[in-house]
Amino acid sequence: MEQRRGLRRLKQGYQVNVLGTTRVLGVIGHPISHSLSPAMHNAAIRALNIDYIYVPFHVLPENLESAIEGVRSLEIAGLNVTIPHKERVMRFLDEVDDGARAIGSVNTLVNQAGRLRGCSTDGPGFIKSAEAAWGKIDGCRALILGAGGSARAVAFALAGIGCRIVVANRTFERAVELVESVGAGARAVRLDRQELAREIAEADLVVNTTSVGMHPNTDGIPLPADLIRPGILVYDLVYNPPRTRLIEEAERRGARAVNGLKMLVYQGALSFEMWTGIRPPVDVMENAASACFGAERTCEA
Ligand code: NAP
């Protein structure tokens, strides 16, 4: 059954011609079999009719260094890097750009004639996707729920466009650590009803960067639903399921809500542009990623 699903996905995802000249892109992670990225990037490659292919590589943590050496020796043009390698991969690269260094993780690796440069498109992808949905959000007042890896990317990106940031996290100390590294007047609060009620009343935008509501625990919601007010912007980084309880409750209460699929697509589009120099069609990428949820509901980044 699993094998048949894999073959079906392979047929959907790899309809590109592979020639002697074809340049290889890919994603490394552990696990990797449910990644949406191959479907998304190969759809863009097909739409643009360019000589590339994008492949998922399963890399165990103990093989990360040799895998990165392989990128050089096999002349792989570029990679996405996903869990659990986003932090540790930095030590094996020739250069890490300032944005990735600040958030402490790399999601994109560019091979420039054997010199490997690491960067992160997570934060810029978040901003671009939010602006595609809602228009400019510079200077907004943002309440970020969560203080993990994705919260770091979102917090630095929002601070970079002049937003006022408040971080609420279950483990308060992690929220404090995050706001101290972001600076720019960012504040930490506890993830409790009273504090959330006060902060949400002052916020233009709420971003859920926790895994609450994610498959298979889809009943979860990261804040009390009755605190959501009409007109507020709600961005849920979770995209599996595409309609989380947070998205549904937000829309029911007149908020404007976006799910994490858009961030996934825009961070991928920015990586694609770095590797190929071509701006890919984001609608094609989004349709390809969404189609995975039609086929099965266990997809991941
Ligand atoms: P992470 O580094 O493991 O951080 C997880 C965060 O969730 C922490 O702040 C953790 O709080 C909080 N959390 C977990 N369970 C909780 C609970 N039951 N109640 C309250 N808080 C809870 O994970 P991540 O990489 O940031 O990813 C978080 C989510 O974002 C995942 O759903 C992931 O799929 C999604 N994501 C989406 C994109 C995208 O492109 N759309 C990109 C990256 C991540 P503690 O600190 O207290 O443990």
Side-chain angles (χ1 to χ4, degrees):
M1 179 65 179
E2 184 57 32
Q3 205 179 2
R4 232 181 306 138
R5 264 195 209 149
L7 281 175
R8 193 181 60 214
R9 195 128 37 97
L10 203 68
K11 282 188 189 153
Q12 288 166 352
Y14 289 81
Q15 287 164 353
V16 291
N17 265 342
V18 180
L19 308 165
T21 50
T22 303
R23 308 213 60 202
V24 178
L25 303 169
V27 54
I28 56 170
H30 166 64
I32 202 66
S33 60
H34 290 111
S35 175
L36 298 182
S37 296
M40 203 166 77
H41 285 281
N42 285 313
I45 289 168
R46 271 197 306 277
L48 293 165
N49 196 22
I50 54 175
D51 194 12
Y52 283 87
I53 186 168
Y54 186 104
V55 184
F57 295 107
H58 179 222
V59 175
L60 290 168
E62 60 269 33
N63 294 331
L64 181 59
E65 184 171 10
S66 56
I68 298 302
E69 273 315 302
V71 172
R72 294 180 218 274
S73 48
L74 296 172
E75 298 182 10
I76 288 171
L79 285 183
N80 281 132
V81 181
T82 187
I83 291 167
H85 305 313
K86 292 173 90 164
E87 292 84 19
R88 214 173 125 249
V89 75
M90 290 201 277
R91 71 182 71 170
F92 306 122
L93 306 180
D94 300 303
E95 194 187 325
V96 173
D97 79 8
D98 291 344
R101 182 83 58 204
I103 66 169
S105 79
V106 156
N107 81 337
T108 304
L109 202 156
V110 185
N111 186 350
Q112 295 167 321
R115 208 178 145 70
L116 302 186
R117 183 165 69 90
C119 44
S120 179
T121 61
D122 280 339
F126 167 78
I127 301 290
K128 274 198 168 270
S129 63
E131 292 189 341
W134 298 319
K136 286 278 171 214
I137 55 167
D138 304 45
C140 75
R141 298 166 299 175
L143 171 61
I144 299 174
L145 310 176
S150 57
R152 288 192 76 79
V154 167
F156 274 89
L158 285 171
I161 57 167
C163 297
R164 193 206 68 177
I165 288 155
V166 176
V167 177
N169 195 46
R170 178 178 63 178
T171 309
F172 180 63
E173 296 70 28
R174 286 185 88 190
V176 172
E177 246 171 66
L178 174 51
V179 300
E180 281 175 356
S181 60
V182 170
R187 288 186 298 117
V189 298
R190 291 179 196 279
L191 193 68
D192 66 34
R193 186 182 171 89
Q194 214 180 341
E195 301 237 14
L196 288 175
R198 196 183 56 229
E199 297 304 333
I200 210 167
E202 298 286 311
D204 307 302
L205 165 68
V206 178
V207 188
N208 175 40
T209 74
T210 77
S211 44
V212 177
M214 191 170 86
H215 175 88
N217 302 314
T218 53
D219 281 348
I221 185 160
L223 82 172
D226 61 299
L227 296 184
I228 301 169
R229 52 182 173 72
I232 196 167
L233 307 177
V234 175
Y235 199 127
D236 193 348
L237 257 59
V238 176
Y239 52 81
N240 183 14
R243 285 188 66 75
T244 57
R245 225 188 114 202
L246 175 60
I247 298 271
E248 284 184 348
E249 296 285 359
E251 285 181 354
R252 200 192 330 271
R253 288 170 163 79
R256 290 191 288 157
V258 165
N259 77 10
L261 204 62
K262 289 229 179 290
M263 173 168 164
L264 184 78
V265 168
Y266 277 83
Q267 60 79 26
L270 290 170
S271 304
F272 190 101
E273 193 173 345
M274 284 180 185
W275 300 319
T276 64
I278 301 168
R279 191 168 293 177
V282 283
D283 52 338
V284 168
M285 295 176 82
E286 187 166 351
N287 288 340
S290 300
C292 286
F293 289 100
E296 51 186 285
R297 297 175 66 86
T298 54
C299 304
E300 288 164 15

